[in-house]
Amino acid sequence: MNADKRRKIFTQLRELNPSPTTELEYGSPFELLVAVVLSAQATDRSVNLATRSLFPVARTPAALLALGVDGLTPYIQTIGLYRSKARHLIEACRILVEQHDGEVPRSREALEALPGVGRKTANVVLNTAFGEPTIAVDTHIFRVANRTGLATGKTPLEVEMRLLRLVPDEFRRDAHHWLILHGRYVCKARKPECWRCPIRDWCDHRPKTPEPGRV
């Protein structure tokens, strides 16, 4: 895919959604961090349902730490892998309280030092909470980048590095959200809905899928 096509793709995505953001519900960088950790192998909807009850009683690392694993578990037990996530979150809160004065750090190194926080989670927090032009490559973005030809790669890190190099600067901050939403609702895993895709004219995917009922 050439640079002109990439620019047209992101220009179109921006026109349709000028201010994209995460579908996770949060009110602070800490709440976002908790929500993203909980969202691993879980839907945003299931996380939002859980955090609507959790956040009113634990809006800070100190408050969540005070709950302990046993106190946190009932709030998140409807989410996949909740036991390990509870342990990770409690230990992460301990580090935030003891080493960061209860604040979410703004450096990748410090974020990735927290239990349960990998590169993808750190990228989401840096981008969404702090406005950094990072791109968190999840399964949706990995699929869209490879399928469309935006940035092909065999691993999430390879795709991330290529996107950071190839996405024009003016689009980089919001690229993560545009691509994840496009993958979630249009360029779906099993069968992309090409007939209603707003960027189909510049996408390298072939053949395009027809509208159901049409050949």
Side-chain angles (χ1 to χ4, degrees):
M1 179 179 289
N2 60 41
D4 182 60
K5 282 186 176 181
R6 290 191 185 91
R7 179 168 292 278
K8 286 178 178 177
I9 284 174
F10 284 108
T11 297
Q12 177 70 357
L13 293 175
R14 181 173 61 185
E15 288 180 359
L16 294 172
N17 188 359
S19 301
T21 189
T22 180
E23 293 185 320
L24 292 170
E25 297 172 1
Y26 72 99
S28 68
F30 173 66
E31 290 183 0
L32 176 64
L33 175 65
V34 171
V36 177
V37 170
L38 292 175
S39 71
Q41 299 183 50
T43 64
D44 288 359
R45 180 178 180 276
S46 68
V47 172
N48 289 338
L49 288 172
T51 56
R52 286 170 194 167
S53 297
L54 173 62
F55 288 158
V57 300
R59 293 193 180 280
T60 66
L64 190 58
L65 180 60
L67 286 179
V69 171
D70 291 340
L72 172 59
T73 297
Y75 291 98
I76 65 171
Q77 61 187 356
T78 56
I79 298 173
L81 306 175
Y82 70 90
R83 290 187 178 87
S84 62
K85 290 175 181 178
R87 292 193 299 270
H88 287 156
L89 283 172
I90 293 302
E91 186 54 32
C93 286
R94 189 184 313 280
I95 294 172
L96 291 176
V97 169
E98 295 177 354
Q99 299 181 20
H100 301 285
D101 297 320
E103 300 292 331
V104 175
R106 299 186 62 155
S107 77
R108 177 186 301 282
E109 182 180 16
L111 283 169
E112 291 187 16
L114 299 173
V117 177
R119 184 177 183 87
K120 182 179 72 174
T121 297
N123 276 337
V124 173
V125 173
L126 290 170
N127 177 269
T128 306
F130 301 126
E132 299 291 333
T134 58
I135 299 177
V137 178
D138 68 350
T139 55
H140 293 299
I141 295 178
F142 184 79
R143 177 177 67 255
V144 171
N146 275 287
R147 182 183 278 164
T148 63
L150 268 172
T152 58
K154 295 181 179 180
T155 67
L157 181 59
E158 187 176 350
V159 169
E160 178 189 340
M161 292 298 101
R162 289 187 176 177
L163 284 170
L164 289 173
R165 177 168 55 87
L166 296 171
V167 174
D169 292 348
E170 66 181 290
F171 303 113
R172 199 167 296 149
R173 177 176 173 178
D174 292 323
H176 162 79
H177 295 301
W178 284 321
L179 294 178
I180 193 172
L181 292 171
H182 188 67
R184 183 173 292 168
Y185 296 113
V186 180
C187 197
K188 300 177 182 179
R190 292 188 179 181
K191 191 174 183 181
E193 298 181 0
C194 300
W195 69 90
R196 67 180 191 91
C197 176
I199 61 171
R200 61 174 294 161
D201 290 347
W202 311 292
C203 168
D204 289 345
H205 177 64
R206 297 290 185 276
K208 297 290 193 292
T209 57
E211 185 175 357
R214 296 186 179 183
V215 179

